[in-house]
Amino acid sequence: MAKSAAEVIVETLVASGVKRIYGLPGDSLNGLTDAIRARSEIQWVHVRHEEVAAFAAGAEAHLTGDLVVCAGSCGPGNLHLINGLYDCHRSRVPVLAIAAQIPSAELGTGYFQETHPEILFKDCSYFCELVSDPENVPRILGIAMRTAITRRGVAVIVAPGDVLLGDCSGSVHAVSAIKLCDAGSVFHPCEDDLETAAAILNAAGKVTILGGAGCAGAHTELMALAAHLKAPIVHALRGKEYLEYDNPYDVGMTGLLGFSSGYYAMMNCDALLMLGTDFPYTQFFPDKAKIIQVDVRGEQIGRRTHVDLGLIGTVRDTIRALMPKLKKKKDAKHLDVSVKHYAEARKGLEELAAGEPGKTPIHPQYVAKLVDELASEDAVFTCDVGLPTVWAARYLRMNGRRSLIGSFVHGSMASALPQGIGAQAAYPGRQVIALAGDGGLAMSMGDLLTLRQMNLPVKIVVFNNSALGFVELEMKAAGFLDFGTNLVNPSFAEVGTACGLLGIRVEKPEELRGALTQALAHEGPALVDVVVNRQELSLPPAIEFKQATGFGLYIMKAVMNGRADEVIDLAKTNLFR
């Protein structure tokens, strides 16, 4: 019996446990969408923009660890996937993209909507190939899926519409489940390298641990290691989800969004143990400490700072192999001082998260703090890049059941809503809260309609400061007058209501708790539009001389250009609380 290549693709995906394909239909995708229509085991999640499809697929892959699929029609359709696929690839989540192509006979003729996705997607994928023969589809599909799963990244199949419709029944490559998840695999460095690492750590008086996303699944081992070494644990942003909870050694984040305590613990150690992190900010690494870096990807070792020893292996397996070689430290002074410093830094942050009745505009820290208090214990949070990421990083508490997703490596705007769609589609019973900036939401606003159409009860909290706030902050720190950052916004609450969501606008702090409570209890999607203070500063844990100089230059320029009222407002917001 004849069977199309598209039918074989869908059968293989179903057999492999894929539950959803995110995308937008188009004529070159007709074979695929028709094959999905005929199968009840797999869902087509119809978004309004293909970039949203890729971000949503990445969020589901982050939460489940499984392969997730997105698709786009030929030309502009699949090119819209590219920004979201960059994010998936750099976040290291397994995503398969099916990029439809123009008719095979027209390739190379400059035909309508012709592009070359097999070239364009090369930089954001581990595998990207054009399939020109229907009978070769099963083979190429298997390679693509295995690549995405084993290398934890993006794989792309480019297929002309006629190839998707072509007869695949004569293929020697049968439909089969593609599974490559061996939880029993062990991967750690050799004995000699482990002995060298132990010697460095045993000789160090003060050890600090810096952990990232590679610490997922190693919480128990990490706590035992920190106790053994009397080491404070600093986390990078992507490590927050895995390291912050049930952790008496936690001293917060470091980096541009971090705390002074995390910065202190790293700058005052004799040995820094980097575990599963590609932390990018070189100015936050210690100059004199011995540094050991553990990573399953050897190419990442030593590319951010000098490394005295690089160990290739998973964090969990490497700690297990290293622990018997380590001497238990007795002096806990470094740990105690670091933990105390963190408590003081945390107290300062909590004091900033104030919502004094009648005092407007609302402090954004207060919004994030209330969201954290009211959210469920297994909530999934997504956040837009910029200030929503800052407030999420500083005020959302991880507990081992909650998840935090954002464009933390690629740094793309407009990710919170799309990632919320993917999270909610994957886990319809979990509470999903998207912390959106007004600039970010405006870029992806069309997919508010997806929430209603797909019955996804995502709760959106908009930090509405009528500006690209983080961009303004960067301009001020560099000594520039902010320019081109002003946003003339609608009432996002009214926009949400028009799209079929529960829309609530909040302008007073005393109204916020009730509005959030109402939105979170609502059975369908909801949007809370919160007017927050535009002048709120987000200061890094350590300010460089050029940043201080730049900020002073900004103040001088503002006064000289007749914008002294902005400087006064800035002082009122951040100095006189």
Side-chain angles (χ1 to χ4, degrees), residues 268-466:
N268 289 277
C269 66
D270 301 318
L272 176 66
L273 180 57
M274 296 174 61
L275 299 175
T277 180
D278 191 31
F279 180 73
Y281 302 111
T282 57
Q283 67 268 37
F284 291 94
F285 283 101
D287 293 324
K288 299 178 181 179
K290 292 276 189 179
I291 298 180
I292 301 171
Q293 185 174 359
V294 178
D295 206 295
V296 75
R297 298 168 183 261
E299 69 272 16
Q300 293 189 169
I301 293 175
R303 69 180 185 178
R304 306 301 183 191
T305 184
H306 81 276
V307 169
D308 296 278
L309 179 64
L311 301 177
I312 303 175
T314 67
V315 172
R316 182 191 64 183
D317 295 335
T318 300
I319 293 176
R320 288 178 177 177
L322 181 62
M323 279 286 283
K325 306 177 187 301
L326 295 174
K327 297 176 182 178
K328 189 171 184 178
K329 295 191 182 296
K330 297 179 180 179
D331 185 356
K333 184 178 179 181
H334 176 54
L335 172 62
D336 293 342
V337 170
S338 298
V339 170
K340 182 180 179 181
H341 193 165
Y342 176 53
E344 293 170 352
R346 186 76 256 172
K347 181 182 177 183
L349 287 173
E350 294 301 322
E351 289 173 351
L352 291 174
E356 184 180 337
K359 188 172 183 179
T360 59
I362 299 169
H363 293 300
Q365 299 97 318
Y366 180 58
V367 181
K369 181 181 178 181
L370 273 187
V371 168
D372 175 69
E373 289 179 9
L374 297 172
S376 65
E377 291 300 297
D378 66 343
V380 179
F381 300 100
T382 66
C383 57
D384 273 335
V385 75
L387 290 176
T389 292
V390 176
W391 312 134
R394 294 182 176 181
Y395 291 98
L396 298 183
R397 294 172 299 111
M398 298 294 105
N399 59 9
R401 298 172 61 199
R402 288 177 167 181
S403 300
L404 178 62
I405 306 173
S407 186
F408 298 144
V409 181
H410 187 48
S412 173
M413 287 181 67
S415 66
L417 172 57
Q419 289 173 331
I421 289 171
Q424 195 74 83
Y427 290 100
R430 288 179 71 176
Q431 187 181 74
V432 176
I433 303 173
L435 304 183
D438 47 357
L441 180 62
M443 291 181 78
S444 59
M445 200 153 51
D447 275 273
L448 291 174
L449 299 167
T450 299
L451 299 182
R452 182 69 278 163
Q453 182 162 332
M454 301 302 300
N455 296 315
L456 299 171
V458 176
K459 317 304 181 190
I460 304 167
V461 179
V462 185
F463 290 80
N464 185 352
N465 61 5
S466 297

Side-chain angles (χ1 to χ4, degrees), residues 6 62 99 123 242 252 280 421 464 503 551:
H62 173 100
D123 194 44
Y242 311 110
I421 289 171
N464 185 352
F551 204 79

Side-chain angles (χ1 to χ4, degrees), residues 137-168:
V137 164
R139 184 182 186 188
I140 298 300
L141 176 63
I143 295 171
M145 293 173 68
R146 291 185 182 95
T147 301
I149 294 168
T150 56
R151 298 193 69 180
R152 311 300 292 177
V154 171
V156 182
I157 292 179
V158 183
D162 56 295
V163 170
L164 291 174
L165 291 169
D167 185 7
C168 197

Side-chain angles (χ1 to χ4, degrees), residues 3-6 27-28 30-32 34 134 160-168:
K3 186 178 291 185
S4 73
D27 60 344
S28 54
N30 283 346
L32 183 70
D34 191 60
D162 56 295
V163 170
L164 291 174
L165 291 169
D167 185 7
C168 197

Side-chain angles (χ1 to χ4, degrees), residues 81-92:
L81 294 169
I82 197 164
N83 190 51
L85 291 182
Y86 261 102
D87 185 80
C88 294
H89 198 56
R90 300 191 72 190
S91 296
R92 299 191 183 121

